[in-house]
């Protein structure tokens, strides 16, 4: 993993059209300038009102939630190649038996939808290849928003190959990261690395091997610090637009966290990996503590925080926590002290997006940031923050003031 990463122009939502959890969307819009999704040009999503608001133009300002262009030259070329690969493989009986309708329906319940794709996302060559090889069929159970019978059902592996091809080509065109929510599951390495050449083997090679474990990421390190998820429902579209005007603090933080993540050995998830995350996170806390203590007198008085032994307190707070639980569970707060929990007791409003990092997606690093900044600092923050040292960890201080970071 490289120490730095180009600043993203946005992220592509994989693999769905509809976004079930608006808080997941708001959270990601605190990290990315925009989120794009793969929507057919003539299809109107049945969005919830808050999602619909984020998909609107505001005067001359583009929507924060946008459709991806599914018919660029690159996307068409990628689909054409996939169609030829499918037709070639479908000549083998074993391939059709493994990825045909009978095998696909055995994986789901009688009333389940299975893996369905809107045909409007597909190029003509790919639609014809799927139809002629019988690797696609009319859905056994229609999706509730399939009003015009425009969806086809496929084997999950075929569906992942198709959607991965679309997503990677779209992401390559626009310089996008690829993110997913809890429904998405763990993103495959080919998606994270935007490697079109490996898609077919990743999903459809008969003797595919288990991929190696993923490297630690700066986004995962950031999640270690998040103890109390903010009330994302109060983050208005205007507030998110305002945040997008000043992206330097979060970009600096993520660059530094990705650099620190290189210290964590690549390994499968478990106790050893958790212990390395704790160690590196505590080292980061030590650096943050030093930066905070070097702030001007104005800022020390303004934040009003006791920074003594910050790293020591942090290390004690995480000593008995299993970080894997963070990835699969949710976070809850009790008064001023935050605890990490995998129980269902945390707010259902936030459970959908917290912990999405381990699934290959990116959670909102500054949930509630705008609210906290306005409530705590108002105009003074924007007028005076240049007095602080230019620390890459200054965004952690902002998160703490917003009530997002664990307090000790």
């Amino acid at each position: 993993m490289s120490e730095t990463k180009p600043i993203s122009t946005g992220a592509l939502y994989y693999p769905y059209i509809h976004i079930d959890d608006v808080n997941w969307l708001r959270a990601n819009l605190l990290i990315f300038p925009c989120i794009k999704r793969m929507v057919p040009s003539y299809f109107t999503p049945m969005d919830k009102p808050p999602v619909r608001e984020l998909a609107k133009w505001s005067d001359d300002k583009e929507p924060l939630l946008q459709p991806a262009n599914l018919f660029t030259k690159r996307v068409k070329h990628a689909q054409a190649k996939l169609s030829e690969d499918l037709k070639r493989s479908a000549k083998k009986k074993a391939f059709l038996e493994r990825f045909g309708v009978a095998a696909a329906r055995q994986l789901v319940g009688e009333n389940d939808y299975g893996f369905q794709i809107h045909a409007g996302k597909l190029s003509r060559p790919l639609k014809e290849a799927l139809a002629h090889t019988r690797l696609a069929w009319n859905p056994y159970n229609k999706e509730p928003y399939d009003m015009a019978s425009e969806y086809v059902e496929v084997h999950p592996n075929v569906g992942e190959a198709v959607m991965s091809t679309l997503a990677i080509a779209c992401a390559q065109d626009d310089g996008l990261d690829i993110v997913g929510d809890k429904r998405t599951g763990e993103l495959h390495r080919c998606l994270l690395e935007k490697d079109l050449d490996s898609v077919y083997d990743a999903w459809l090679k008969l003797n595919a091997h288990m991929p190696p474990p993923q490297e630690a990421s700066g986004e995962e390190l950031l999640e270690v610090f998040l103890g109390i998820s903010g009330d994302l429902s109060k983050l208005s579209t205007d507030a998110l637009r305002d945040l997008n005007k000043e992206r330097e603090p979060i970009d600096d933080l993520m660059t530094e966290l990705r650099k620190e993540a290189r210290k964590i050995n690549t390994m499968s998830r478990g106790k050893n990996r958790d212990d390395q995350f704790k160690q590196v996170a505590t080292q980061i806390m030590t650096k943050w503590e030093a930066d905070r203590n070097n702030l001007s007198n104005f800022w020390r008085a303004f934040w009003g925080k006791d920074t003594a032994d910050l790293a020591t307190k942090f290390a004690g707070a995480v000593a008995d926590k299993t970080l894997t639980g963070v990835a699969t569970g949710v976070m809850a707060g009790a008064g001023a002290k935050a605890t990490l929990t995998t129980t269902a007791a945390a707010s259902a409003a936030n459970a959908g997006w917290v912990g999405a990092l381990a699934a290959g997606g990116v959670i909102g690093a500054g949930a509630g940031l705008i609210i906290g900044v306005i409530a705590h600092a108002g105009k003074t923050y924007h007028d005076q923050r240049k007095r602080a040292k230019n620390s890459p960890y200054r965004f952690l201080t902002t998160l703490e003031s917003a009530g997002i970071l664990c307090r000790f």
Side-chain angles (χ1 to χ4, degrees):
M1 179 185 295
S2 62
E3 292 188 4
T4 61
K5 179 181 178 181
I7 296 174
S8 176
T9 57
L12 183 77
Y13 176 44
Y14 180 90
Y16 304 103
I17 293 175
H18 294 92
I19 295 173
D20 282 354
D21 190 343
V22 66
N23 281 345
W24 174 91
L25 177 58
R26 291 186 181 115
N28 278 278
L29 286 171
L30 288 167
I31 290 289
F32 298 103
C34 69
I35 300 294
K36 295 190 177 184
R37 53 181 173 171
M38 295 176 281
V39 183
S41 57
Y42 56 86
F43 181 80
T44 303
M46 297 174 62
D47 289 330
K48 302 173 184 177
V51 175
R52 198 180 309 132
E53 182 67 24
L54 292 166
K56 289 181 180 179
W57 281 79
S58 176
D59 298 327
D60 60 341
K61 299 174 184 175
E62 291 186 338
L64 295 175
L65 177 62
Q66 305 173 11
N69 188 346
L70 300 179
F71 294 98
T72 65
K73 183 177 179 180
R74 181 183 299 277
V75 176
K76 289 180 180 179
H77 176 77
Q79 291 192 66
K81 182 179 183 302
L82 177 60
S83 66
E84 292 301 318
D85 289 339
L86 288 172
K87 287 189 291 185
R88 183 175 59 255
S89 295
K91 294 177 181 179
K92 301 176 182 178
K93 183 179 178 180
F95 187 88
L96 292 178
E97 288 178 347
R98 183 168 182 176
F99 300 119
V101 59
R105 293 309 301 176
Q106 287 179 359
L107 300 176
V108 297
E110 182 179 353
N111 298 319
D112 290 340
Y113 297 124
F115 198 115
Q116 298 187 30
I117 303 173
H118 193 291
K121 295 180 179 180
L122 310 178
S123 65
R124 181 181 294 275
L126 184 52
K127 284 189 284 190
E128 291 177 350
L130 290 170
H132 292 165
T133 59
R134 298 184 181 180
L135 289 170
W137 52 89
N138 291 328
Y140 275 57
N141 302 298
K142 289 178 57 175
E143 294 276 6
Y145 33 76
D146 186 8
M147 303 299 181
S149 298
E150 295 178 298
Y151 281 75
V152 295
E153 185 178 350
V154 295
H155 188 283
N157 287 55
V158 174
E160 294 283 6
V162 170
M163 295 309 300
S164 294
T165 297
L166 285 171
I168 294 172
C170 287
Q172 288 179 341
D173 269 329
D174 292 340
L176 305 172
D177 287 296
I178 299 175
V179 297
D181 59 15
K182 284 188 175 293
R183 295 184 300 164
T184 306
E186 185 171 347
L187 292 182
H188 195 279
R189 181 179 293 272
C190 66
L191 286 162
L192 297 177
E193 297 178 354
K194 293 183 279 188
D195 184 1
L196 265 176
D197 293 335
S198 68
V199 168
Y200 195 83
D201 285 352
W203 294 112
L204 298 173
K205 191 174 181 180
L206 292 177
N207 297 316
H209 299 290
M210 179 180 293
Q214 295 177 2
E215 295 177 331
S217 69
E219 286 80 4
E220 288 179 282
L221 265 178
L222 181 61
E223 190 167 12
V224 176
F225 296 102
L226 298 178
I228 304 174
S229 53
D231 186 357
L232 295 174
S233 65
K234 295 181 180 179
L235 272 175
S236 68
T237 302
D238 287 341
L240 287 167
R241 289 187 185 280
D242 288 342
L243 179 61
N244 274 326
K245 294 177 182 178
E246 292 191 72
R247 303 199 59 83
E248 184 180 354
I250 182 60
D251 289 338
D252 288 350
L253 175 63
M254 295 313 303
T255 296
E256 193 68 19
L257 292 183
R258 290 177 185 124
K259 174 182 173 182
E260 293 292 329
R262 296 188 65 196
K263 298 177 181 178
I264 299 173
N265 294 328
T266 300
M267 64 182 76
S268 298
R269 299 187 185 280
K271 183 179 183 303
N272 289 340
R273 193 173 189 269
D274 289 349
D275 288 343
Q276 288 207 19
F277 265 92
K278 294 173 185 177
Q279 180 180 349
V280 173
T282 301
Q283 292 171 357
I284 292 171
M285 191 65 72
T286 300
K287 295 177 181 179
W288 179 35
E289 178 181 358
D291 286 346
R292 283 158 58 103
N293 286 332
N294 284 329
L295 296 179
S296 66
N297 291 333
F298 170 84
W299 280 101
R300 287 203 299 272
F302 177 78
W303 291 116
K305 306 297 183 188
D306 180 8
T307 62
D309 299 324
L310 189 62
T312 301
K313 295 175 184 178
F314 176 80
V318 302
D320 298 323
K321 302 297 186 295
T322 301
L323 300 185
T324 302
V326 180
T328 57
V330 292
M331 300 179 181
K337 183 173 182 179
T339 58
L340 305 181
T341 176
T342 56
T343 70
S347 168
N350 292 315
W353 64 270
V354 174
L357 291 179
V362 181
I363 65 173
L369 167 64
I370 295 297
I371 303 165
V373 169
I374 292 175
H376 186 72
K379 186 174 182 296
T380 305
Y381 174 82
H382 297 287
D383 291 342
Q384 301 294 335
R385 73 189 188 111
K386 289 184 179 180
R387 297 188 185 183
K389 286 180 66 71
N390 189 26
S391 166
Y393 301 112
R394 64 191 183 278
F395 194 70
L396 293 177
T397 302
T398 306
L399 291 180
E400 184 187 42
S401 73
I404 306 307
L405 204 60
C406 288
R407 303 193 180 221
F408 309 104

